[in-house]
Amino acid sequence: QVELVESGGGVVRPGGSLRLSCETSGFTFSRFAMHWVRQAPGKGLEWVAVTSFDGSNTYYADSVQGRFAISRDNSKNILYLQMNSVRAEDTAVYYCARYDSPPAGSRGLDSWGQGTLVTVSS
Amino acid sequence: DIVVTQSPESLAVSLGERATINCKSSQSVLLGSTNKDYLAWYQQKPGQPPRLLIFWASTRAPGVPDRFSGSGSGTDFTLTITSLQAEDVAVYYCQEYYNVPFTFGPGTKVHL
């Protein structure tokens, strides 16, 4: 079955860096666009970034543009989120999610990981 | 960017009763080339990741009970839960995936 497992979260100081990973299995990773979505404690969902199936196209929320970088390794079936110059407001659970987009039309984020918590604090 | 709003913020429903959640986007999410609305609904229970319930505004994802239904087109959408079960207590989010950023609504908490 489809499985997504995030890792790499933890406590990081403001201005610091962190790299999140999302290991996937159970599907052909290289055929799917992948997203990162975050959720601050007690708050709603915030879309963060997306990468196309081959990594050639990436898009970011304004709140992370220029500080975060999404990438993927299709040989290892792993999605990444490099977080630089982090701020207190980046504190959140970060989820990776698969984007189902068959020829008939995209179907949204159909599989999610359990999330990894990033806490930005001095 | 598309702005997505939801109402109400919170909804108290008795077991077996109907729950109705509204979602509105600031511009149409109907993709002309596919004639499908790029609007999804997700359910999130405490301590769990979101779960896709509905895509294309009205198509249930695999394994979703038929008491969940979505309707609407263009800019106005509704999620209906007929005959609420205890396990349906959760926060529900709509999301447009017509354009990046794929904006989520603020969520609606459904409780007993």
Side-chain angles (χ1 to χ4, degrees):
Chain A
Q1 73 278 17
V2 174
E3 193 169 11
L4 298 87
V5 179
E6 302 93 338
S7 62
V11 179
V12 57
R13 295 188 184 278
S17 297
L18 206 61
R19 189 176 81 158
L20 307 183
S21 299
C22 171
E23 295 188 35
T24 72
S25 60
F27 65 102
T28 305
F29 180 69
S30 60
R31 294 184 181 176
F32 289 84
M34 297 293 295
H35 295 242
W36 287 99
V37 175
R38 69 184 180 183
Q39 187 168 37
K43 302 297 184 181
L45 301 171
E46 180 187 14
W47 179 83
V48 172
V50 59
T51 175
S52 59
F53 69 99
D54 61 358
S56 62
N57 292 292
T58 58
Y59 299 94
Y60 300 91
D62 288 347
S63 57
V64 306
Q65 178 76 49
R67 300 187 299 121
F68 289 11
I70 187 172
S71 63
R72 62 192 298 158
D73 186 333
N74 284 350
S75 68
K76 297 180 179 178
N77 299 333
I78 301 177
L79 175 73
Y80 300 102
L81 185 68
Q82 178 67 43
M83 306 171 61
N84 298 327
S85 303
V86 296
R87 306 165 179 167
E89 54 265 35
D90 296 322
T91 295
V93 173
Y94 285 75
Y95 297 102
C96 61
R98 187 180 80 167
Y99 185 58
D100 186 19
S101 188
S106 301
R107 302 180 185 178
L109 302 176
D110 71 335
S111 296
W112 296 65
Q114 289 296 313
T116 187
L117 176 62
V118 173
T119 302
V120 181
S121 174
S122 55
Chain B
D1 296 355
I2 296 175
V3 176
V4 178
T5 57
Q6 283 182 239
S7 63
E9 287 185 22
S10 180
L11 185 60
V13 183
S14 300
L15 292 175
E17 296 300 306
R18 176 188 297 256
T20 302
I21 301 169
N22 300 301
C23 175
K24 188 175 182 67
S25 60
S26 60
Q27 65 186 71
S28 176
V29 297
L30 176 65
L31 189 64
S33 60
T34 62
N35 198 35
K36 289 179 169 61
D37 290 278
Y38 277 26
L39 189 286
W41 290 95
Y42 301 87
Q43 175 193 64
Q44 188 179 32
K45 298 179 181 179
Q48 296 185 19
R51 171 197 180 193
L52 178 66
L53 292 179
I54 302 283
F55 58 91
W56 296 338
S58 61
T59 301
R60 276 187 298 276
V64 174
D66 60 7
R67 63 180 180 272
F68 291 92
S69 64
S71 62
S73 184
T75 61
D76 292 277
F77 304 91
T78 300
L79 175 70
T80 300
I81 312 171
T82 58
S83 189
L84 189 90
Q85 305 299 301
E87 61 264 32
D88 301 334
V89 169
V91 179
Y92 293 85
Y93 297 92
C94 59
Q95 181 202 28
E96 64 81 15
Y97 53 100
Y98 180 87
N99 263 339
V100 290
F102 289 177
T103 310
F104 288 92
T108 295
K109 184 175 183 178
V110 174
H111 58 95
L112 298 176

